């Protein structure tokens, strides 16, 4: 299985833009789609980006996703930060041996 | 509205066994594969197991392979996780999650999650 590495934490001010990275250690980041999940404290995760850059209905367009083959990484960008965006964000992808892989999670603080 | 409700989490002694359940509603249950994902206290998400729509295909994380068994009953719209040889490392909140496809072997993801059921392994 491959590993997805995320920064442990990031912080930014309200109204600003933050980008969270997710780097794959072996194999191409483009070989399988990347998803992003938001988990607020004491709540279950919810999907905010699927298939690299698609938003589920109800997720504001302040959330966007991308992949970069040169750095073998995916990114979640949140613009116009709000205090309600404060949460832990997890990237996730599929391993071709029928396993699903999560990154370690990034705690976003909006201060 | 999709609803997933886990149950069965309790305090169990090391070496013990436990069966978790996930009751599904709000969608055609046998049209989708299902998963179990867990989260140890203060830790990240760990994928555990998949079962295809018809139960014919299953997959397990190395950490639980041989100890956990996933199953489903499409008549009862329910999924299960039978766990044995439990240790303190299995202490976690266990989530069931709905896949976006029916079959296994597809690059898919989790579009709905339950609220989880807490398993504590302690003497």
């Amino acid at each position: 299985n491959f590993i997805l590495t995320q920064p442990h934490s990031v912080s930014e001010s309200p109204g600003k833009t933050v980008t969270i990275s997710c780097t794959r250690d072996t194999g191409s980041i483009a070989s399988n789609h990347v998803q992003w999940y938001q988990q607020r404290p004491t709540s279950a995760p919810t999907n905010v980006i699927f298939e690299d850059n698609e938003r589920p209905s109800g997720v504001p367009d302040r959330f966007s996703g991308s992949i970069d083959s040169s750095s073998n990484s995916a990114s979640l960008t949140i613009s116009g930060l709000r205090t309600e965006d404060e949460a832990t964000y997890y990237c996730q992808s599929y391993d071709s041996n029928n396993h699903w892989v999560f990154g370690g999670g990034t705690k976003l603080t909006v201060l | 509205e999709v609803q997933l409700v886990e149950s069965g989490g309790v305090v169990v002694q090391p070496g013990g066994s436990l069966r978790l359940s996930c009751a599904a509603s709000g969608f055609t249950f046998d049209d989708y594969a299902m998963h179990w994902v867990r989260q140890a206290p203060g830790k990240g998400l760990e994928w555990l197991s998949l079962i295809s729509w018809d139960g014919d295909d299953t997959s397990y994380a190395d950490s639980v392979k041989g100890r956990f068994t996933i199953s489903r009953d499409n008549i009862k719209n329910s999924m299960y996780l039978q766990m044995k040889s439990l240790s303190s490392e299995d202490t976690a909140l266990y989530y069931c999650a709905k896949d976006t496809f029916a079959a296994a072997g597809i690059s898919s993801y989790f579009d709905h999650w339950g609220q989880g059921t807490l398993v504590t392994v302690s003497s």
Side-chain angles (χ1 to χ4, degrees), chain B residues 24-104:
Chain B
S25 61
F27 65 102
T28 304
F29 184 65
D30 57 8
D31 274 353
Y32 295 96
M34 297 289 294
H35 301 258
W36 286 100
V37 177
R38 72 182 177 186
Q39 186 169 34
K43 302 297 184 182
L45 302 171
E46 179 188 14
W47 173 81
L48 296 180
S49 186
L50 153 89
I51 187 165
S52 62
W53 69 278
D54 58 359
D56 281 355
D57 292 306
T58 60
S59 182
Y60 299 92
D62 291 345
S63 59
V64 303
K65 194 170 185 178
R67 299 189 301 123
F68 289 11
T69 302
I70 192 171
S71 61
R72 65 189 293 162
D73 183 335
N74 287 344
I75 302 299
K76 295 183 177 180
N77 286 351
S78 293
M79 177 179 66
Y80 308 98
L81 187 67
Q82 180 69 48
M83 307 185 293
K84 67 179 183 179
S85 303
L86 289 165
S87 73
S88 58
E89 294 183 353
D90 297 313
T91 293
L93 188 62
Y94 285 72
Y95 293 103
C96 69
K98 173 185 167 292
D99 198 300
T100 52
F101 290 96

Side-chain angles (χ1 to χ4, degrees), chain A residues 76-104:
Chain A
L76 171 69
T77 298
I78 310 172
S79 61
L81 276 170
R82 301 181 178 183
T83 55
E84 68 207 48
D85 298 330
E86 193 161 285
T88 299
Y89 292 86
Y90 295 90
C91 60
Q92 171 263 313
S93 191
Y94 170 74
D95 194 327
S96 301
N97 66 351
N98 230 8
H99 283 53
W100 281 256
V101 179
F102 287 99

Side-chain angles (χ1 to χ4, degrees), chain A residues 8 65 75:
Chain A
H8 182 69
S75 294

Side-chain angles (χ1 to χ4, degrees), chain B residues 98-121:
Chain B
K98 173 185 167 292
D99 198 300
T100 52
F101 290 96
I106 297 173
S107 176
S108 62
Y109 65 98
F110 320 105
D111 61 353
H112 291 88
W113 299 65
Q115 288 303 307
T117 187
L118 182 62
V119 173
T120 303
V121 183

